[in-house]
């Protein structure tokens, strides 16, 4: 199953973007599972309407990232869904038995209307990495992600973007520039132009994450990568012969 990792600076708007991607993929028939990295992530997820059954907050230990521990987190969530579904199906069977008895006694049957439906298994994972302060230098997110979405606030300083070894930018599949509504136009424009100059072949998408402005373009890029097998083959090759920095 594909893992989409949303990474970037503290307070950049990762959770807000993740909520938008969740909605976008859901509208296209996917059932994403959202995994956050701290309590601060929960509110924006709920605010964006992520179903609590498909929301998991994993708080990593100090200095660690949720992406390092993701396999275990995913297994736990899948187990939980399976257990719930087992409970639901045994309750359904019990109701059927009860209705058999009621029918013999001519009592009329009880409706299964109030019974919860079994939950669908998620088919794509949306993981928010721990926010970082120091440039964009975190390798774990790249290692885990099939699709890496890196989030940058429009007001970021140019020097940070130009630092050496910003792996989350160098290897991002999609770069999202947030908070363009509260950043002076010329500052946003400088950030976007600089990014385009450094990364001429990457999708660079300026958005207002809180209002959902242009966030559909982020989902579209993700969908393209999910369904274009060639893109994923390219990636497999990258992993076989990692680039030296
Ligand atoms: N004006 C404006 N505010 C935004 C935008 N995106 C996010 N915010 C706000 O910025 C704050 C941080 O957003 P989050 O989505 O929680 O950011 P985050 O990167 O997940 O933060 P951490 O998980 O704490 O690192 C919230 O108050 C959001 O409402 C945007 O595009 N425009
Ligand atoms: Mg967050």
């Amino acid at each position: 199953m594909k893992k989409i990792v949303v990474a970037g600076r503290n307070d950049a708007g990762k959770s807000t973007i993740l909520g938008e991607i969740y909605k976008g993929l859901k509208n296209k028939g996917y059932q994403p599972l959202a995994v956050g990295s701290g309590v601060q992530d929960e509110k924006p997820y709920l605010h964006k309407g992520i179903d609590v059954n498909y929301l998991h907050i994993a708080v990593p230990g100090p200095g660690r990232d949720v992406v390092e521990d993701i396999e275990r987190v995913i297994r736990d969530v899948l187990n939980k869904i399976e257990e719930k579904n087992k409970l639901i199906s045994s309750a359904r069977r019990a109701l059927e038995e009860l209705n058999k008895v009621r029918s013999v006694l001519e009592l009329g049957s009880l409706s299964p209307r109030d019974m919860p439906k079994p939950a669908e298994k998620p088919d794509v994972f949306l993981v928010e990495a721990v926010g970082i302060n120091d440039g964009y230098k975190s390798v774990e997110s790249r290692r885990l992600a099939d699709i890496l979405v890196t989030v940058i606030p429009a007001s970021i300083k140019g020097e940070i973007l130009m630092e050496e070894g910003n792996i989350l930018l160098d290897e991002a599949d999609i770069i999202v520039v947030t908070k363009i509504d509260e950043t002076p136009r010329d500052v946003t424009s400088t950030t976007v132009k600089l990014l385009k100059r450094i990364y001429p072949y990457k999708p660079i998408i300026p958005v207002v994450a809180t209002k959902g402005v242009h966030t559909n373009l982020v989902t579209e890029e993700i969908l393209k990568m999910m369904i274009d097998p060639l893109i994923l083959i390219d990636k497999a090759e990258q992993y076989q012969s990692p680039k030296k920095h």
Side-chain angles (χ1 to χ4, degrees), residues 136 138-139 142-143 145-150 166-175 199 202 235 238-239 242-245:
Y136 280 83
S138 154
V139 286
R142 174 65 282 179
R143 222 178 280 138
D146 296 298
I147 300 172
L148 176 62
V149 179
T150 300
N166 277 335
I167 185 162
L168 288 179
L169 288 169
D170 293 347
E171 305 218 355
D173 295 299
I174 301 166
I175 296 178
Y199 305 108
K202 286 190 203 289
K235 216 163 246 335
Q238 264 178 27
Y239 287 135
K243 263 197 298 184
K244 296 242 162 31
H245 279 276

Side-chain angles (χ1 to χ4, degrees), residues 103-138:
S103 133
V104 171
L105 300 177
E106 297 184 351
L107 286 172
S109 60
L110 298 175
S111 155
R113 212 178 27 227
D114 294 331
M115 196 74 87
K117 293 206 169 46
E120 219 179 299
K121 284 249 173 83
D123 47 18
V124 54
F125 298 111
L126 267 173
V127 183
E128 176 172 346
V130 170
I132 47 178
N133 290 317
D134 170 29
Y136 280 83
K137 306 181 177 76
S138 154

Side-chain angles (χ1 to χ4, degrees), residues 6-19 37-41 43-45 47 128-132 151 177-183 207-213 215:
V6 180
R9 293 179 88 73
N10 283 327
D11 203 46
K14 298 179 296 298
S15 300
T16 313
I17 285 287
L18 191 143
S37 58
V39 282
Q40 80 284 0
D41 295 334
K43 214 167 114 193
Y45 291 179
H47 185 71
E128 176 172 346
V130 170
I132 47 178
V151 182
V177 180
T178 51
K179 308 199 177 187
I180 60 170
D181 54 328
E182 57 171 38
T183 308
V207 303
V208 184
T210 33
K211 300 214 177 83
V213 175
T215 49

Side-chain angles (χ1 to χ4, degrees), residues 168-221:
L168 288 179
L169 288 169
D170 293 347
E171 305 218 355
D173 295 299
I174 301 166
I175 296 178
V176 180
V177 180
T178 51
K179 308 199 177 187
I180 60 170
D181 54 328
E182 57 171 38
T183 308
R185 238 187 143 78
D186 56 323
V187 176
T188 300
S189 156
T190 307
T191 303
V192 172
K193 276 188 194 143
L194 180 59
L195 282 168
K196 284 198 168 150
R197 187 148 19 102
I198 312 178
Y199 305 108
Y201 303 110
K202 286 190 203 289
I204 295 165
I205 308 173
V207 303
V208 184
T210 33
K211 300 214 177 83
V213 175
H214 294 165
T215 49
N216 59 321
L217 300 176
V218 180
T219 309
E220 273 168 31
E221 288 296 335

